[in-house]
Amino acid sequence: MGTVGRKIVGMDVNELLTLLNKAFADEWLAYYQYWVGAKVVRGPMKEAVIAELDQHAADELNHATLLSARIIQLGGTPLLTPQDWYKHTNCGYDAPEDPFVRNVIEQNVKAEQCAISVYKKLMDVTEGKDMVTYNLALQIMEDEIEHEEDLQNLLEDFELMLKSVGHAK
Ligand code: FE
Ligand code: FE
Ligand code: MG
């Protein structure tokens, strides 16, 4: 922890640490939702979907790494148990119990939309008060926006494929 680095934060640091740890919990759950989704997913276009899910899993893990660094820098402790992830998450966890491609993608779209709102809120509360966290939230939000777009593009391809199969009959 750097003392001046902490002092220049123009808001309650403990309040900020709570928000950072909640986002940190979301990232671990998002990571696992993508990771296990990529293992169990079934259906058409499976290979393309697995590639996207694996890439997003890696991005979510990177987000967890970035958040933990900022939490520690501010004198906090990243949540230490998976039970705490569940207790503090904003976005929750959707198990891919139905492993059909459309279901898995839709579950992850929902998670991304929640993540976008979490980082938007983090940007709103840190704007002009903590530029380091503001920049971090912006950097992560850019990834989440791209994730939502990638998944919605996959859903669109999937619908188009279904339609073309229908027309071929
Ligand atoms: Fe993320
Ligand atoms: Fe994401
Ligand atoms: Mg992607």
Side-chain angles (χ1 to χ4, degrees):
M1 182 185 87
T3 49
V4 173
R6 186 181 154 108
K7 206 155 66 184
I8 60 164
V9 174
M11 61 181 289
D12 186 305
V13 175
N14 289 329
E15 205 175 290
L16 178 59
L17 283 167
T18 298
L19 295 177
L20 288 168
N21 253 322
K22 287 172 75 65
F24 177 76
D26 292 331
E27 294 296 350
W28 272 105
L29 294 173
Y31 165 72
Y32 190 70
Q33 190 172 308
Y34 275 122
W35 184 91
V36 81
K39 307 293 180 234
V40 301
V41 70
R42 293 289 176 269
M45 302 175 10
K46 198 176 74 168
E47 296 312 313
V49 173
I50 289 173
E52 201 68 59
L53 298 179
D54 277 338
Q55 186 200 73
H56 290 192
D59 290 343
E60 308 309 359
L61 188 57
N62 181 49
H63 297 163
T65 303
L66 294 170
L67 288 165
S68 69
R70 184 62 181 146
I71 289 166
I72 289 166
Q73 196 169 52
L74 287 170
T77 306
L79 297 176
L80 295 176
T81 70
Q83 287 88 338
D84 281 338
W85 303 341
Y86 250 98
K87 206 159 96 191
H88 297 284
T89 177
N90 301 290
C91 299
Y93 175 79
D94 270 343
E97 274 152 14
D98 172 359
F100 189 57
V101 278
R102 183 196 276 150
N103 180 60
V104 173
I105 298 169
E106 281 173 349
Q107 284 180 322
N108 286 309
V109 167
K110 204 178 108 205
E112 292 298 345
Q113 291 174 341
C114 180
I116 291 168
S117 71
V118 166
Y119 291 107
K120 172 69 169 68
K121 186 185 161 199
L122 193 54
M123 288 178 68
D124 288 343
V125 301
T126 54
E127 188 173 13
K129 294 174 181 144
D130 176 4
M131 298 319 276
V132 176
T133 301
Y134 179 89
N135 277 332
L136 174 65
L138 175 59
Q139 183 192 340
I140 297 176
M141 193 173 75
E142 283 171 351
D143 283 350
E144 311 301 17
I145 287 170
E146 193 184 303
H147 289 170
E148 183 204 31
E149 183 190 17
D150 290 344
L151 296 177
Q152 287 184 331
N153 286 343
L154 277 175
L155 274 182
E156 192 184 275
D157 290 351
F158 185 78
E159 300 303 335
L160 287 171
M161 185 208 64
L162 286 185
K163 225 189 243 177
S164 71
V165 170
H167 284 307
K169 270 188 200 161

